Amino acid sequence: MDSKNKIYDVKEFKNIREIINNSIEKYPENKAFIIKNKDKNKEKYTNVTYREFGEQINALGSALINKGLKNKHIAVISPNRYEWALTYYAVLNGTGILVPLDKGLPDSEIESLLQRSHSNAIVFDKKYEEIMKQIKESKTTNVTEFICMDENDTFTSINELLTEGKELLNQGYREFLDTKINEKEMSIILFTSGTTSASKAVMLSHKNIAANIYALNSAEKIYDTDVNLAFLPFHHTFGSTGLLFFLSNGATNVFCDGIRHIQSNLKEYKVTTFVCVPLLLEAMYKKIMKEIEKQGKEKLIKRIIPLTNFLLKFKIDIRRKVFKDVINSLGGNIRFIVSGASGIDKKVAKGFNDFGILTVQGYGLTETSPVLSAENENCIRYGSIGYPMANVEIKIDNPNEEGIGEIIARGPNVMLGYYENKEATNEVIVDGWFHTGDLAYRDKDGYIFVAGRKKNVIVLKNGKNIYPEELEILINDLPYVEESMVFGMPKEDDLVVSAKIVYNKEFKEKNNYTQEELKEKVWQDIKEINKELPTYQHIKNIIVTDEPMIKTTTAKVKRYEEIKKIIENAK
């Protein structure tokens, strides 16, 4: 196996409980979480130490088992908050099987996924109180226990269960504490993004997650003094495995007040590290560069960066001193950022690294717990997803003349399969290799570059293949572009390479453009991009709008829905 992603010797754990218990023993008085509460418009903070976190996991787990939920399916739905994390570990570390649900699901889908997952209980945020009343009344699911994360008049609250569990433990109750974890059995049922009928339920085990934590710790350095901003939704594997990654190192975890408050949260909590999606990083970078331009320091920065990078060759690193103002605009303490979910603009990744903020790109899927490959501080090649993780094998399957083929992988982090869907499982796991559906190639040094999704490739009548993601990177580099999607628009018996472009409203207003003038400006820029491309890749049709695209909760564009809407509107 490729060892370029094993730069640290770390302990390997068999299951999630071992990881959490190790952190409780090693960092008992470290803050595991900081929780912000608003009390009469004043902000109050509660610190939860690792020792207290462990005690509450044991109390909640004991109370859940005492309620008859041993080995049952327990769903959880809520925005990121402490009680979500508490539920996650209380269920996994000895109670039953966890079913995380997307916090953005419509009411009808919540009910449908509870049915599909055969959930027996659900833990939820108070904002879901009304739909929970309806589900309880309708009796169309197997859910018998409804547990609210907040105090309320209708349902049992988590605080009540914590009190109950604490009393049980004081009386010598040990069923939760003595439960043996079978690390190879299904422990999590995770729904992939998509509509209820299209989403698949991924079965993950303790072994899957623990193996990925080992691989991450082998590749990336997290300190027990780090403060992590838990930004990615926990119901997504990248969010929940990411949280465990930080917890496994004794770091402090804080919660984001919303996308508009990220910069103030970075400063408020002195955040040092976080995992996020490219869209957010790219927006932050654009804001930084706009400020530099406003101050007239653009030329100065361009002159300094080659010098600071040259000094790095002699192990002299003055970046964080020289670019102190940039670091301060991001709270003053940020040192490490992991980007995932989709490809990040090379210019943005390089920009953050040039400022002295280690920024790496990772790649993975829900089905692989999730990380398959990543860059680390020793191996960064902009635009790549680095090397396979220490315990993962990756092959480029059936490459074409350009060396582009499907990424297939095997390792201990690959899922058990899709829940109650053997046919779909057999389609993606063949002879022990998981077929990702993503296309990639390797350069001469072995770095992996993702070309795009297999199902997104535009195949023209002349047999030429166009990878939309490659063109989107070029379009997204235009200063006024918020996001873009390249697709094949059906025309007679062929496809026309087309682009939907979402522009920045401020840019339009600032330049006093009419919609037609702006479209003409976009066309001129697209023609310049076309000049750099082979003729068959030329973009020949554009849609210019300020309406954001339909996205998943990890900010991925739902292409199928977008293209369907465009084609219907064109009729």
Side-chain angles (χ1 to χ4, degrees):
M1 288 198 188
D2 205 315
S3 61
K4 288 184 180 175
N5 243 331
K6 189 176 189 321
I7 59 174
Y8 302 108
D9 284 320
V10 294
K11 193 172 177 182
E12 194 164 2
F13 297 99
K14 295 198 296 283
N15 59 55
I16 295 166
R17 187 165 68 185
E18 282 186 3
I19 294 169
I20 290 293
N21 285 349
N22 178 69
S23 293
I24 292 163
E25 286 165 27
K26 208 170 172 184
Y27 316 103
E29 300 311 316
N30 276 24
K31 295 173 198 169
F33 295 91
I34 298 174
I35 305 160
K36 179 159 61 177
N37 303 297
K38 284 197 174 176
D39 182 29
K40 292 177 185 173
N41 296 323
K42 283 184 181 177
E43 289 176 347
K44 287 172 66 183
Y45 299 89
T46 304
N47 298 329
V48 180
T49 65
Y50 275 82
R51 178 181 48 78
E52 289 166 336
F53 185 42
E55 287 168 356
Q56 291 194 0
I57 289 169
N58 293 339
L60 182 56
S62 297
L64 290 172
I65 290 178
N66 195 50
K67 272 197 165 289
L69 293 173
K70 179 78 172 168
N71 298 325
K72 301 292 187 184
H73 294 196
I74 301 170
V76 58
I77 187 166
S78 136
N80 284 8
R81 55 183 288 182
Y82 173 68
E83 290 78 8
W84 198 107
L86 181 61
T87 302
Y88 184 85
Y89 296 108
V91 174
L92 290 180
N93 289 0
T95 303
I97 291 152
L98 190 84
V99 183
L101 298 180
D102 187 332
K103 65 183 174 68
L105 286 172
D107 292 355
S108 60
E109 288 202 24
I110 294 173
E111 190 168 13
S112 174
L113 295 187
L114 288 173
Q115 289 165 347
R116 283 184 58 194
S117 61
H118 305 297
S119 290
N120 308 101
I122 184 164
V123 181
F124 56 92
D125 180 278
K126 64 184 173 188
K127 68 183 262 192
Y128 302 94
E129 205 171 335
E130 286 310 309
I131 179 60
M132 291 306 150
K133 285 177 186 173
Q134 289 170 34
I135 290 170
K136 187 176 183 180
E137 206 173 298
S138 72
K139 296 181 180 174
T140 55
T141 72
N142 292 333
V143 178
T144 55
E145 294 294 338
F146 293 81
I147 301 155
C148 189
M149 294 177 179
D150 308 276
E151 297 300 324
N152 68 99
D153 298 326
T154 311
F155 301 106
T156 305
S157 72
I158 274 193
N159 276 343
E160 287 173 73
L161 291 184
L162 286 171
T163 304
E164 245 177 70
K166 198 175 174 185
E167 284 171 14
L168 285 165
L169 290 167
N170 288 340
Q171 291 161 16
Y173 185 86
R174 294 197 57 86
E175 192 162 350
F176 177 80
L177 301 176
D178 293 340
T179 298
K180 285 186 179 173
I181 304 288
N182 184 332
E183 49 265 5
K184 293 178 183 177
E185 279 183 354
M186 175 182 76
S187 303
I188 304 173
I189 299 172
L190 256 169
F191 288 94
T192 59
S193 54
T195 61
T196 303
S197 55
S199 64
K200 298 187 192 83
V202 174
M203 299 187 290
L204 297 179
S205 67
H206 273 257
K207 182 186 174 185
N208 291 150
I209 305 287
N212 213 227
I213 295 299
Y214 166 74
L216 285 166
N217 280 324
S218 295
E220 319 290 354
K221 188 68 180 167
I222 300 297
Y223 301 94
D224 66 349
T225 51
D226 272 324
V227 177
N228 163 51
L229 181 67
F231 169 75
L232 285 187
F234 289 159
H235 69 261
H236 193 280
T237 0
F238 201 18
S240 54
T241 300
L243 176 66
L244 185 56
F245 173 45
F246 291 105
L247 287 169
S248 71
N249 290 285
T252 299
N253 298 277
V254 299
F255 299 98
C256 179
D257 291 331
I259 199 156
R260 285 177 299 170
H261 303 283
I262 282 177
Q263 281 188 280
S264 61
N265 287 157
L266 292 175
K267 188 176 182 180
E268 176 185 4
Y269 295 108
K270 298 183 176 172
V271 171
T272 61
T273 178
F274 66 97
V275 179
C276 70
V277 293
L279 203 65
L280 171 66
L281 268 191
E282 286 160 9
M284 286 168 75
Y285 184 72
K286 277 182 184 175
K287 199 171 176 183
I288 290 165
M289 295 313 289
K290 207 180 272 183
E291 188 57 36
I292 287 168
E293 203 179 314
K294 195 174 158 186
Q295 291 174 17
K297 293 180 179 177
E298 206 174 3
K299 285 181 182 173
L300 177 66
I301 295 279
K302 279 180 181 173
R303 283 204 307 272
I304 293 172
I305 285 172
L307 174 64
T308 54
N309 284 342
F310 175 74
L311 291 173
L312 283 175
K313 293 176 183 178
F314 303 96
K315 299 197 173 169
I316 301 167
D317 190 354
I318 59 168
R319 292 172 299 172
R320 291 181 73 85
K321 286 180 184 172
V322 172
F323 302 114
K324 194 180 176 189
D325 288 349
V326 173
I327 307 282
N328 285 344
S329 74
L330 297 170
N333 296 277
I334 195 78
R335 68 164 194 89
F336 179 44
I337 299 171
V338 180
S339 174
S342 59
I344 187 171
D345 185 334
K346 287 191 260 190
K347 185 178 74 180
V348 172
K350 185 179 185 305
F352 278 106
N353 278 298
D354 284 342
F355 294 141
I357 301 164
L358 176 61
T359 302
V360 300
Q361 182 162 231
Y363 162 79
L365 303 93
T366 303
E367 290 89 338
T368 57
S369 310
V371 188
L372 283 174
S373 72
E375 298 174 299
N376 64 45
E377 61 182 300
N378 291 350
C379 67
I380 291 177
R381 185 154 295 176
Y382 299 119
S384 85
I385 52 167
Y387 289 102
M389 303 310 284
N391 50 11
V392 170
E393 287 179 84
I394 284 181
K395 285 201 303 194
I396 305 299
D397 191 45
N398 197 20
N400 63 15
E401 65 279 359
E402 296 169 291
I404 296 172
E406 185 179 6
I407 299 174
I408 64 171
R410 66 179 177 187
N413 55 320
V414 173
M415 67 170 181
L416 302 173
Y418 294 118
Y419 185 57
E420 296 186 335
N421 196 340
K422 203 169 181 181
E423 191 182 335
T425 302
N426 293 338
E427 279 175 23
V428 295
I429 300 178
V430 182
D431 297 328
W433 289 89
F434 174 68
H435 290 244
T436 65
D438 285 315
L439 298 169
Y441 63 91
R442 279 184 130 144
D443 71 7
K444 60 183 173 58
D445 298 316
Y447 285 89
I448 304 167
F449 289 79
V450 176
R453 286 292 288 168
K454 199 174 174 181
K455 64 183 180 185
N456 295 342
V457 177
I458 302 165
V459 183
L460 300 178
K461 191 180 175 183
N462 62 10
K464 294 285 188 185
N465 287 353
I466 297 166
Y467 305 101
E469 293 86 349
E470 291 180 351
L471 299 182
E472 286 160 10
I473 287 168
L474 300 174
I475 296 170
N476 291 344
D477 214 21
L478 297 171
Y480 50 82
V481 174
E482 293 283 314
E483 55 184 335
S484 68
M485 179 188 73
V486 172
F487 64 100
M489 186 77 173
K491 186 179 181 183
E492 294 168 1
D493 60 347
D494 205 356
L495 296 169
V496 177
V497 183
S498 307
K500 180 173 179 178
I501 295 164
V502 179
Y503 63 82
N504 182 295
K505 289 182 193 175
E506 282 178 28
F507 177 86
K508 182 174 180 261
E509 287 162 15
K510 189 179 170 186
N511 292 280
N512 292 316
Y513 282 127
T514 64
Q515 190 67 18
E516 280 308 307
E517 286 168 340
L518 180 65
K519 189 170 182 179
E520 185 52 37
K521 158 82 177 151
V522 176
W523 252 129
Q524 293 311 314
D525 289 339
I526 291 295
K527 284 174 185 173
E528 288 302 310
I529 289 171
N530 282 345
K531 284 179 188 176
E532 305 299 317
L533 300 169
T535 309
Y536 73 89
Q537 288 186 5
H538 283 190
I539 297 158
K540 294 175 181 171
N541 177 43
I542 60 169
I543 297 161
V544 179
T545 179
D546 62 0
E547 186 186 320
M549 291 195 230
I550 308 161
K551 294 185 204 70
T552 67
T553 46
T554 51
K556 286 183 186 173
V557 173
K558 291 189 174 182
R559 287 177 186 266
Y560 176 75
E561 290 182 34
E562 277 291 337
I563 294 167
K564 187 182 171 190
K565 188 169 80 172
I566 290 164
I567 292 169
E568 282 173 0
N569 289 342
K571 284 176 183 175

